[in-house]
Amino acid sequence: MAHGVLSFPLTAFHDDGSLDPDGFRAHVTARLAAGPGAVFPACGTGEFFSLDEEEYRQVVTIAVEEAAGRCPVVAGAGYGWAQAARFARIAEEAGADALLVLPHYLVAAPQEGLVAQLEELAARTRLPIVAYQRGQVAYAVASLRRITRIPNVIGLKDGHSDLDRLQRLTLAAPADFLFFNGAATAEIQARAYAGVGVPAYSSAVHAFAPEIADAFFTALRGGDHGTTEKLLRDFYVPFVEVRDRTPGYAVSLVKAAARLRGERVGPVRAPLTDPSSADLADLKALLAAGLDLVGASL
């Protein structure tokens, strides 16, 4: 998974909010054509939190069918361990290769509980598990050592961007334990994460502009600092500035950008909201400029 951008496809909905399986199939097929290191359906960018179990089954099944073994399919799962286990069973039946365990719902929990959450889920699935620390989930070094001893827990995705603590976690883990940069718009911090031994990262931009995401990935891995900094300065930082205007834009702005490129992904579901007309106009101009930087067009 470290050999390409980690792609988090959007879940397509019709205008009435119902699932659009054909739209999702077209969207995930286009993502796979760009050669990602892995595809992560029904995760945060894919609005896992708004899917019922049957919709989840359809989304993961389509992703597995379209990937056809070309890259790993890592399905999202979450809530408490009992509900997460239900999603895990569906993901297994659909043929997913692994699970990304999203932060549990609402409550803060002690370290013992965070470890127990993974133990309970791991005991109920054959799939490899990547834990995701973000929001109310943050593993201490001692807890990290414990979860690395759970046989099917294979990695940790970090969304806190506390690089001091992350460095301590990477040093405490076995050499074969996987770490991923899961910060929002992860490219912004990709160089810093790589500096503490975490080069793999998720890319929301890949959901609407794989040309930009792949150009950045290639430049970063090739040590092309000029291209990396130009893309950061002229596209990624302005994109983040628009993203930060409204809560939830980390998903809805990405979905709007995909629609601007003619992708049939539809609106977001409540509680998210689609971008305002003013923000949409700024996004369109920024997207056109970003694509121009890599020799592509809107």
Side-chain angles (χ1 to χ4, degrees):
M1 287 193 282
H3 297 290
V5 173
L6 304 181
S7 182
F8 285 66
L10 300 154
T11 299
F13 299 121
H14 294 292
D15 288 342
D16 65 1
S18 61
L19 183 69
D20 181 356
D22 293 336
F24 177 72
R25 188 179 295 276
H27 175 69
V28 78
T29 298
R31 305 284 73 72
L32 288 161
V39 62
F40 290 68
C43 292
T45 306
E47 297 180 77
F48 166 80
F49 51 84
S50 76
L51 300 177
D52 66 28
E53 291 181 14
E54 180 52 36
E55 291 170 333
Y56 177 86
R57 184 185 300 276
Q58 291 184 66
V59 165
V60 177
T61 298
I62 289 169
V64 170
E65 290 173 350
E66 294 306 308
R70 287 179 288 168
C71 71
V73 175
V74 185
Y79 307 114
W81 62 258
Q83 185 63 52
R86 293 174 65 93
F87 283 105
R89 284 195 295 274
I90 295 169
E92 282 189 39
E93 293 164 1
D97 298 294
L99 296 172
L100 176 65
V101 181
L102 304 172
H104 64 267
Y105 173 68
L106 188 62
V107 296
Q111 291 294 310
E112 185 67 31
L114 297 181
V115 174
Q117 163 90 338
L118 289 179
E119 290 174 334
E120 294 286 357
L121 177 57
R124 291 165 172 79
T125 181
R126 298 187 302 271
L127 292 177
I129 289 171
V130 176
Y132 189 4
Q133 62 170 15
R134 188 169 182 166
Q136 69 269 33
V137 176
Y139 296 100
V141 169
S143 300
L144 188 280
R145 290 194 177 104
R146 290 178 61 189
I147 69 173
T148 65
R149 294 195 290 268
I150 302 172
N152 50 336
V153 175
I154 63 169
L156 177 70
K157 183 182 179 186
D158 175 72
H160 285 295
S161 304
D162 181 342
L163 297 181
D164 178 280
R165 189 164 59 83
L166 182 59
Q167 181 71 92
R168 297 168 192 266
L169 294 176
T170 62
L171 293 173
D176 61 350
F177 195 74
L178 305 175
F179 284 90
F180 305 93
N181 167 5
T185 316
E187 287 91 342
I188 291 287
Q189 300 188 61
R191 292 186 294 185
Y193 270 83
V196 295
V198 184
Y201 64 88
S202 58
S203 176
V205 170
H206 196 270
F208 63 86
E211 305 96 325
I212 298 173
D214 288 341
F216 183 88
F217 181 88
T218 299
L220 182 66
R221 293 300 170 89
D224 182 352
H225 302 300
T227 298
T228 300
E229 292 190 359
K230 186 171 183 59
L231 287 169
L232 286 170
R233 182 183 304 109
D234 296 342
F235 175 74
Y236 282 99
V237 169
F239 177 78
V240 166
E241 289 172 350
V242 178
R243 183 203 72 195
D244 288 348
R245 291 176 185 173
T246 300
Y249 268 17
V251 177
S252 56
L253 203 69
V254 170
K255 210 165 198 182
R259 292 196 301 272
L260 285 172
R261 300 204 72 193
E263 296 210 39
R264 186 176 136 188
V265 294
V268 293
R269 276 181 173 173
L272 300 180
T273 58
D274 288 311
S276 67
S277 57
D279 290 342
L280 194 60
D282 290 344
L283 174 64
K284 185 174 183 179
L286 175 59
L287 179 56
L291 290 167
D292 187 61
L293 290 172
V294 298
S297 61
L298 190 61

